[in-house]
Amino acid sequence: MTDADRTEYGDENQHQHEDQQEGGRAPESKNQPQPRAQRAPRTLAVPDLSLVVLIGATGSGKSTFAARHFKPTEVLSSDFCRGLVSDDENDQSASRDAFDVLHFIAGKRLAAGRLTVIDATNVQSEARAQLVRLAREHDVLPVAIVLDVPEQVCAARNAARADRAGLPRRVIQRHQRELRRSLRHLEREGFRKVHILRGQEEVEAAEIVTERRFNDLRHLTGPFDIIGDIHGCRSELESLLGRLGYALERDALGRPVDAAHPEGRTAVFVGDLVDRGPDSPGVLRLVMGMVGAGHALCVPGNHENKLGRYLKGRNVQHTHGLAETIEQLEKEDDTFRAEAAEFIQGLVSHYVLDGGGLVVCHAGLPEKYHGRTSGRVRSFALYGDTTGETDEFGLPVRYPWAEGYRGRAAVVYGHTPTPRANWLNNTICLDTGCVFGGTMTALRWPERELVDVPAEKVWYEPAKPLVTEAPGGTDGRPLDLNDVAGRRIVETRYMGRLAVREENAAAALEVMSRFAIDPRLLPYLPPTMAPCATSKAETGGEAAGEGYLEHPAEAFAAYREDGVREVVCEEKHMGSRAVVLVCRDEAAARERFEVPEGVSGALYTRSGRPFFDNPETTERILQRVRESAERAGLWTELETDWLLLDAELMPWSLKATGLLRKQYAAVGAASGAVFPGALGALEAAAARGVDVSTLLGRQRDRASDAVAFTEAYRRYCWRVGAERPAGTDELAGIRLAPFQILAVQGRSLAGLAHTEQLAMIDRLIEAEAEAEAAAVGTEPDGGRTALLAPTRRLVVDTEDEASVAAGIAWWLDLTAEGGEGMVVKPLRALIRGGNGQLIQPGIKCRGREYLRIIYGPEYTRPENLRRLRVRHLGHKRSLALREYALGLEALDRMADGDPLWRVHEAVFAVLALESEPVDPRL
């Protein structure tokens, strides 16, 4: 520790009492045996995360005691490990290897946060020292439970065991001597709790009670208001509490002594209540009152730690504002000073709250220390860590731990002043330098909303100017290869744990690193769409699906079977899936997404690639969407500075030119070159009297199918912008059909009913139409061409035959006009079936002629349809659901304000799943 302040507090030995404070009660090594008539059951408190070391001679009953009081998986026996390595639990020559195995397994359990019990004699100090070191390495408390049983009892038990009947009595006697020598030194060896059970009666009457660690408040779910460093600025604290909605309570002298929120919110203070500011005693009085009344929690800062040492009479330097606090405290009475000393002494280094999703401490805390109890953990929570260097002001250079943080829990802290609180990798520093003339900041949790009040004046001149260099600033490394490489497991809220194979991750990494847009502008990738079940109808007409590979009757039946009554049928546009991220202006884009000037959003494909090589074209499209959102009042209504839209961009040829030329157009051109000649030759032969009628009819049908194939793909191709005559609007011919607002600032909208979504989209389109109408006559070309296209839809009741028939007729009309088909979706989003599992968010039902492009010109022939009806849809449907769940997770993480790497993890997984082998025609 190079921080000048920290040198006053000593090394880890000084924190032994703090380990006890956070892990449970004080050691209990001085238990005296009671007369037998007065003996009562002993309750042994064991922290729920600790290393329990059983100590006793062979035959003292340690294994029986462990089996009675602990889970089998919690107990590691030296005998068992000896058997693992030698097939003989009594082979003493295998002890070294056996203990290597035991220590390895114990380390893995402790690293995973599991209570671990060591069942071995442990009567030698060297053996115990290894276990104490192991506990310290994993920042858990070592607990000793001593079974002090008479020699004759141990001897009798060993004699009763066939494998130990020949054990020499001197072994037991040696164990007993070593045990006697150990008893008075166990605390000094580092055990934070020592329980001594003397005699068989105490051993048999003992009861183990696991204690919750003092820092484990996961059962408290808030809501919380977490308040940054105060440093004696009582007036600003009162103002901030008022803004947060707390009602102050004052004593007879008008001093604030408590504050409560009418909605039951709990304030959480990150420490550094005192020093430098004008009224440290007033801050202490208010915070102590709130904590005592149950209205607040508080963790210590390094300034409280130093003040606490002073109040206990320790020799500390009166620097960094302590002198001012001492002067202010001298005006208080002895009772108040004693209460302040007791309050500071009782503070716990950090708290784990809200089911483990929130950690509050003073200087930050890496994930490996969350919920742990040791001097090292307390030191880091109070002071953070330094690089060992000093800056030009003589202050220590802080180690930027938050830049590499990848934990699930949000870490909220203070300690290092910064002009503004910013999230970085799920951490945020709330010390915004109030005492230095900045602001006092609070974080509302779980809302993740920041509230602040300005300082009334500069109370203390800072040693250096406030700059954004705290670990919670915005300059950290945003992404890391380890976040996405190799086999991954992504936790989602809607489908649990989803796996990504290593080979799929490698394929996604290739695309993402070479072709994708800036990941800061890539918060979402849309999922693949599940096809409807294959139509089995051979007869019965169009309404029953005769001659169709896909038919809406199957989609309606599938949702009816899943218990979904109302579905919405949305027109499937003849374009490419597009995601539009549009910000209110460039300033909003820089503020939220940290992008350079000239960028106000993004327009990208399903694989994260930009749609247009020219950024100016993208910006022009974004500007049109932005203007429409402004005119429709969506910015204000949704209280946002950005919108994330799911859409279709038309024409299809805009991004599929290569596919059209190499695959589809080539087939059309070949058929156009071959069939006229072949038909001419066959017709000439028929004219000469040759019987070629069957062959001629078949070839005419094939030629007709080829023409239908060419007409089918041509419907999706037209010239745009520069391909049109000179003077044409650059965006002419480009149509954008948004159909869902995925997310806005601070919340995901994926759960809104689709009718509500489309109603907002209609307002966007109407707003653009109004703007175009207003522009007529004011521009040389009479106004711009429309960009935004509507999405036609129809609501269908799957249990009403007439409604289902109307839906089928609507689809037939759409496809007869040349439309691609429709997507059938549950009217309400995020629907689960009777088994509690997500059901398909949408089923695509493509038109008969569109499928000709996919399956080939002659796919509608009966013999081909029979073969194509054997389609295996299970993998595609599973893929669609998994990608949907990952997309929802990305949106939720973005709405929660999670760091970029967390959002990107889910987005990357969607792209990785796209490389799973599946029939591309589905």
Side-chain angles (χ1 to χ4, degrees):
M1 294 185 286
T2 60
D3 190 331
D5 278 348
R6 295 167 70 179
T7 60
E8 299 182 16
Y9 300 95
D11 58 16
E12 185 174 319
N13 292 332
Q14 188 269 325
H15 292 291
Q16 289 186 3
H17 73 284
E18 294 160 344
D19 299 342
Q20 300 159 12
Q21 171 187 331
E22 298 192 27
R25 300 185 183 90
E28 301 176 20
S29 61
K30 297 183 174 62
N31 301 301
Q32 299 299 321
Q34 304 175 35
R36 175 171 296 187
Q38 297 179 4
R39 283 203 182 113
R42 285 279 307 283
T43 298
L44 311 183
V46 173
D48 57 359
L49 175 54
S50 58
L51 179 64
V52 179
V53 179
L54 301 181
I55 303 173
T58 177
S60 59
K62 298 181 298 301
S63 298
T64 302
F65 182 88
R68 181 187 305 151
H69 297 290
F70 299 99
K71 299 176 185 176
T73 52
E74 293 174 335
V75 181
L76 300 179
S77 164
S78 59
D79 289 345
F80 178 75
C81 292
R82 200 176 286 113
L84 283 178
V85 299
S86 70
D87 292 331
D88 183 357
E89 292 189 354
N90 293 302
D91 183 359
Q92 297 302 313
S93 66
S95 290
R96 181 181 295 273
D97 291 338
F99 278 97
D100 286 345
V101 171
L102 184 146
H103 292 157
F104 177 80
I105 298 174
K108 291 296 183 182
R109 285 187 57 84
L110 295 176
R114 307 293 182 189
L115 175 70
T116 303
V117 180
I118 304 300
D119 176 13
T121 58
N122 296 314
V123 293
Q124 295 178 328
S125 60
E126 296 84 359
R128 295 192 298 270
Q130 295 182 60
L131 295 172
V132 170
R133 283 196 298 270
L134 186 65
R136 286 179 173 171
E137 286 174 10
H138 296 281
D139 301 290
V140 302
L141 297 181
V143 176
I145 299 180
V146 180
L147 277 64
D148 186 4
V149 177
E151 175 188 333
Q152 60 271 23
V153 174
C154 296
R157 288 174 176 171
N158 282 317
R161 291 179 54 177
D163 58 343
R164 294 192 183 176
L167 184 74
R169 186 71 172 253
R170 65 177 181 275
V171 174
I172 302 173
Q173 292 171 344
R174 186 181 71 248
H175 286 178
Q176 292 282 6
R177 288 195 302 270
E178 291 173 332
L179 178 64
R180 294 282 182 272
R181 286 196 296 266
S182 301
L183 288 180
R184 63 178 178 272
H185 301 302
L186 292 176
E187 291 179 51
R188 194 179 308 164
E189 289 177 8
F191 287 99
R192 297 299 182 257
K193 279 179 173 288
V194 178
H195 301 289
I196 301 177
L197 301 174
R198 303 181 189 274
Q200 285 180 269
E201 292 84 358
E202 280 199 7
V203 172
E204 292 172 359
E207 296 179 359
I208 298 292
V209 176
T210 55
E211 289 183 331
R212 186 192 297 272
R213 286 153 286 156
F214 289 170
N215 57 36
D216 182 4
L217 299 183
R218 288 174 294 176
H219 59 289
L220 300 183
T221 57
F224 302 108
D225 297 305
I226 309 164
I227 298 174
D229 297 36
I230 300 170
H231 282 297
C233 298
R234 178 192 50 78
S235 179
E236 288 88 341
L237 175 59
E238 291 185 36
S239 299
L240 181 58
L241 289 171
R243 282 205 60 190
L244 292 169
Y246 288 77
L248 288 168
E249 179 182 333
R250 301 181 184 275
D251 63 11
L253 300 177
R255 300 174 299 188
V257 293
D258 191 11
H261 198 284
E263 297 175 5
R265 300 179 70 92
T266 300
V268 186
F269 297 94
V270 304
D272 276 6
L273 309 174
V274 301
D275 294 348
R276 296 176 174 152
D279 191 4
S280 291
V283 173
L284 282 171
R285 183 177 288 106
L286 174 55
V287 173
M288 288 191 301
M290 293 178 69
V291 172
H295 299 146
L297 300 169
C298 184
V299 297
N302 56 300
H303 286 264
E304 279 77 55
N305 201 25
K306 190 174 182 179
L307 176 61
R309 288 171 56 80
Y310 167 78
L311 292 174
K312 287 192 295 184
R314 302 288 180 83
N315 185 22
V316 296
Q317 298 177 15
H318 297 189
T319 56
H320 304 292
L322 179 59
E324 289 80 357
T325 300
I326 293 173
E327 182 181 350
Q328 294 163 13
L329 282 171
E330 287 175 351
K331 301 174 184 177
E332 303 290 335
D333 57 30
D334 292 341
T335 301
F336 178 81
R337 287 193 290 270
E339 291 174 351
E342 183 180 359
F343 172 74
I344 292 171
Q345 175 67 19
L347 295 177
V348 178
S349 67
H350 70 286
Y351 285 122
V352 182
L353 301 159
D354 198 8
L358 174 65
V359 172
V360 178
C361 53
H362 178 61
L365 206 62
E367 186 177 29
K368 65 180 180 179
Y369 292 157
H370 294 178
R372 304 289 170 140
T373 49
S374 71
R376 174 169 53 187
V377 171
R378 186 174 180 86
S379 178
F380 199 110
L382 285 171
Y383 305 102
D385 200 2
T386 64
T387 64
E389 305 167 300
T390 55
D391 60 19
E392 67 272 24
F393 300 96
L395 298 175
V397 177
R398 308 289 180 187
Y399 179 74
W401 65 273
E403 293 185 8
Y405 182 75
R406 292 295 183 266
R408 182 183 70 86
V411 180
V412 184
Y413 61 105
H415 189 52
T416 305
T418 183
R420 185 180 59 180
N422 289 297
W423 284 98
L424 174 65
N425 293 338
N426 215 20
T427 76
I428 188 169
C429 176
L430 296 183
D431 183 359
T432 47
C434 180
V435 76
F436 301 127
T439 60
M440 188 178 295
T441 301
L443 172 72
R444 284 187 170 129
W445 180 274
E447 300 89 342
R448 291 185 179 238
E449 177 188 349
L450 291 171
V451 179
D452 58 42
V453 296
E456 295 180 358
K457 60 180 290 186
V458 177
W459 299 104
Y460 197 91
E461 288 294 338
K464 63 179 180 180
L466 293 183
V467 293
T468 307
E469 65 175 14
T474 60
D475 301 325
R477 171 176 55 79
L479 298 174
D480 188 278
L481 178 62
N482 293 326
D483 295 332
V484 294
R487 186 176 186 274
R488 310 294 300 173
I489 299 292
V490 182
E491 291 279 357
T492 68
R493 299 164 213 209
Y494 292 93
M495 284 192 73
R497 295 161 60 88
L498 295 177
V500 178
R501 296 189 181 96
E502 182 176 1
E503 57 270 26
N504 295 341
L509 184 61
E510 170 80 5
V511 173
M512 193 69 75
S513 60
R514 294 185 60 191
F515 307 113
I517 65 170
D518 187 330
R520 292 173 295 187
L521 294 171
L522 188 61
Y524 175 82
L525 283 178
T528 190
M529 188 69 67
C532 70
T534 306
S535 175
K536 303 299 182 184
E538 299 290 345
T539 60
E542 286 186 341
E546 179 186 353
Y548 287 84
L549 187 62
E550 295 182 4
H551 194 272
E554 306 293 345
F556 296 144
Y559 279 126
R560 183 169 59 249
E561 185 176 344
D562 284 331
V564 179
R565 179 161 185 169
E566 286 188 305
V567 297
V568 58
C569 305
E570 296 181 8
E571 171 187 12
K572 200 171 189 306
H573 295 280
M574 301 179 292
S576 303
R577 192 77 171 266
V579 179
V580 184
L581 175 63
V582 56
C583 297
R584 196 165 191 170
D585 49 39
E586 288 185 21
R590 287 195 300 274
E591 169 73 19
R592 173 59 182 84
F593 300 101
E594 301 179 1
V595 293
E597 292 185 10
V599 177
S600 65
L603 176 61
Y604 56 89
T605 69
R606 283 195 63 234
S607 59
R609 307 177 189 221
F611 258 104
F612 299 99
D613 296 329
N614 183 2
E616 294 181 1
T617 304
T618 298
E619 286 298 325
R620 288 197 62 193
I621 292 176
L622 295 178
Q623 181 61 27
R624 296 280 286 274
V625 177
R626 181 180 302 114
E627 292 171 355
S628 298
E630 182 68 42
R631 194 178 188 99
L634 292 181
W635 298 120
T636 302
E637 179 181 323
L638 298 175
E639 299 179 335
T640 185
D641 285 334
W642 54 268
L643 300 171
L644 186 66
L645 305 171
D646 206 350
E648 287 277 334
L649 189 66
M650 299 169 279
W652 186 35
S653 54
L654 200 60
K655 288 305 289 182
T657 303
L659 183 67
L660 286 165
R661 288 176 178 170
K662 293 178 182 179
Q663 185 168 323
Y664 303 132
V667 174
S671 62
V674 170
F675 280 119
L679 291 175
L682 289 172
E683 288 168 352
R688 294 195 300 271
V690 180
D691 185 10
V692 292
S693 57
T694 301
L695 179 59
L696 178 59
R698 185 164 63 249
Q699 294 305 314
R700 281 174 176 167
D701 289 343
R702 295 187 67 199
S704 176
D705 287 341
V707 170
F709 174 81
T710 303
E711 291 177 351
Y713 73 73
R714 281 180 175 170
R715 292 191 187 101
Y716 305 97
C717 312
W718 59 79
R719 293 187 299 167
V720 298
E723 300 170 344
R724 296 191 174 193
T728 304
D729 182 4
E730 180 188 359
L731 302 185
I734 298 176
R735 305 299 305 279
L736 181 71
F739 53 84
Q740 187 173 14
I741 302 179
L742 295 164
V744 296
Q745 189 171 315
R747 57 196 171 113
S748 167
L749 300 184
L752 281 183
H754 291 290
T755 48
E756 295 181 49
Q757 289 276 2
L758 290 169
M760 287 191 289
I761 298 300
D762 286 346
R763 289 166 53 191
L764 267 182
I765 297 168
E766 291 167 4
E768 186 198 38
E770 292 173 2
E772 299 308 319
V776 173
T778 64
E779 298 183 11
D781 61 357
R784 302 174 298 187
T785 57
L787 171 70
L788 301 180
T791 296
R792 291 177 286 179
R793 65 271 196 183
L794 178 73
V795 175
V796 169
D797 183 343
T798 62
E799 297 183 6
D800 184 316
E801 291 184 7
S803 183
V804 169
I808 294 173
W810 188 72
W811 176 80
L812 290 171
D813 291 340
L814 276 179
T815 55
E817 296 171 2
E820 179 180 335
M822 70 182 182
V823 177
V824 184
K825 303 176 180 178
L827 186 62
R828 294 185 297 110
L830 310 180
I831 298 294
R832 294 185 182 272
N835 58 1
Q837 302 297 315
L838 275 179
I839 66 172
Q840 290 292 347
I843 296 176
K844 62 183 178 182
C845 187
R846 296 166 290 184
R848 190 168 186 263
E849 290 308 305
Y850 175 80
L851 287 176
R852 195 180 297 278
I853 306 173
I854 306 301
Y855 286 99
E858 301 173 15
Y859 94 102
T860 53
R861 292 174 175 269
E863 64 274 18
N864 290 335
L865 274 179
R866 279 194 296 272
R867 184 168 57 253
L868 290 173
R869 282 194 171 109
V870 184
R871 301 194 301 173
H872 302 286
L873 305 179
H875 189 188
K876 179 74 171 183
R877 289 172 170 173
S878 168
L879 193 62
L881 271 178
R882 284 179 284 152
E883 291 185 8
Y884 176 57
L886 286 165
L888 291 175
E889 183 65 24
L891 294 175
D892 286 337
R893 291 181 180 186
M894 185 186 189
D896 289 345
D898 279 11
L900 176 62
W901 77 269
R902 287 260 301 158
V903 179
H904 187 70
E905 178 186 42
V907 174
F908 188 92
V910 174
L911 186 58
L913 293 186
E914 277 294 296
S915 63
E916 285 196 7
V918 67
D919 186 348
R921 299 173 300 178
L922 297 178

